[in-house]
Amino acid sequence: MIPEEIINQIRETVDIGQVVGEYVRLKKRGRNFEGLCPFHTEKTPSFKVNSDKQIYHCFGCGKGGNVFTFLMDHERMSFVEAVKHLAPKANVTIREEKSDHRREQIERVAFAQTVALEYFKKQLKLPKYSIVRDKYLIGKRRITEESIETFGLGMASEEWDDFLKHATAKGLSKDDLVKAGLLIYNEDKNSHYDRFRQR
């Protein structure tokens, strides 16, 4: 297992602009970079990369995250593969700790929460929830676009298992999601459903 301090060091040291620039043609725009989104087809650039905050975000399709999630989504890497791929760029040598069951569980739960964060953020960007975003958050609550992105605000849909389907497609098990507090098990029906809905 890779020590958490090493993961944090890599994330804070590697320039996300340089990494994303290896896959996407970016242009400098003020303190940010922008380009055509690699996750969907578009003619006008809506894909932004902020090196100060070490994040990327597409205002067209809602995709966003940090340097690890970019490689996971774009290059289909696992989290550990992304960390190892970036380690040389941060001049870091990875000495993996001896694996133990408890640590593996903790890492799986942490990954589940990362997947959930990106999922809920993307949901809030969907056109069908524009009223929630534009009229409630921005209009009534006076929350700015920058705050929405900075604090990772998102929304859960009304479906019973939409997040479950999304997370299992990312390689997470139902047990992982229950331990992460994202899924509820119904013993009477012997079935699972999303904990967060219509929020």
Side-chain angles (χ1 to χ4, degrees):
M1 296 294 103
I2 303 174
E4 185 175 353
E5 59 269 21
I6 294 298
I7 294 174
N8 292 334
Q9 181 182 350
I10 293 172
R11 183 177 58 247
E12 294 168 1
T13 302
V14 172
D15 185 347
I16 190 173
Q18 292 182 355
V19 174
V20 175
E22 295 176 5
Y23 305 93
V24 181
R25 183 175 294 180
L26 299 174
K27 292 184 179 180
K28 184 75 172 176
R29 290 289 185 270
R31 301 180 67 178
N32 299 325
F33 296 92
E34 72 174 22
L36 296 176
C37 180
F39 301 113
H40 79 289
T41 302
E42 63 178 9
K43 295 182 179 180
T44 303
S46 60
F47 183 80
K48 315 289 183 182
V49 179
N50 187 315
S51 293
D52 292 337
K53 297 179 181 178
Q54 289 290 60
I55 59 174
Y56 67 93
H57 180 75
C58 175
F59 289 91
C61 69
K63 279 279 190 179
N66 58 33
V67 68
F68 298 131
T69 55
F70 177 82
L71 291 176
M72 291 166 66
D73 284 339
H74 192 271
E75 295 299 295
R76 299 292 187 266
M77 293 183 184
S78 68
F79 178 73
V80 173
E81 288 172 338
V83 173
K84 290 182 177 180
H85 177 80
L86 293 171
K89 296 180 184 296
N91 294 318
V92 170
T93 300
I94 294 179
R95 296 182 178 85
E96 296 189 39
E97 297 178 349
K98 185 177 180 180
S99 176
D100 64 82
H101 183 63
R102 177 170 173 75
R103 183 172 180 83
E104 286 180 4
Q105 284 188 329
I106 292 173
E107 291 191 352
R108 296 289 292 177
V109 167
F111 177 56
Q113 293 171 342
T114 298
V115 169
L117 173 63
E118 295 308 315
Y119 168 81
F120 292 130
K121 285 171 59 178
K122 184 176 180 180
Q123 288 293 303
L124 189 59
K125 300 288 187 179
L126 296 178
K128 64 179 180 178
Y129 298 127
S130 59
I131 293 179
V132 175
R133 178 182 174 83
D134 300 335
K135 293 188 177 181
Y136 179 69
L137 288 181
I138 298 176
K140 185 175 181 180
R141 298 294 299 274
R142 305 293 184 186
I143 298 175
T144 64
E145 291 274 4
E146 183 178 3
S147 293
I148 290 175
E149 186 60 34
T150 299
F151 295 103
L153 301 187
M155 177 175 174
S157 71
E158 64 275 11
E159 303 297 330
W160 287 85
D161 61 355
D162 195 56
F163 173 69
L164 169 59
K165 293 176 182 176
H166 174 81
T168 51
K170 292 283 187 179
L172 288 161
S173 69
K174 292 177 180 178
D175 187 50
D176 294 329
L177 299 173
V178 169
K179 289 176 180 175
L182 297 165
L183 209 64
I184 293 177
Y185 175 63
N186 186 319
E187 293 186 8
D188 294 334
K189 296 183 179 181
N190 189 29
S191 62
H192 295 78
Y193 60 90
D194 298 347
R195 175 181 292 275
F196 302 108
R197 303 189 313 281
Q198 293 182 307
R199 299 188 186 185

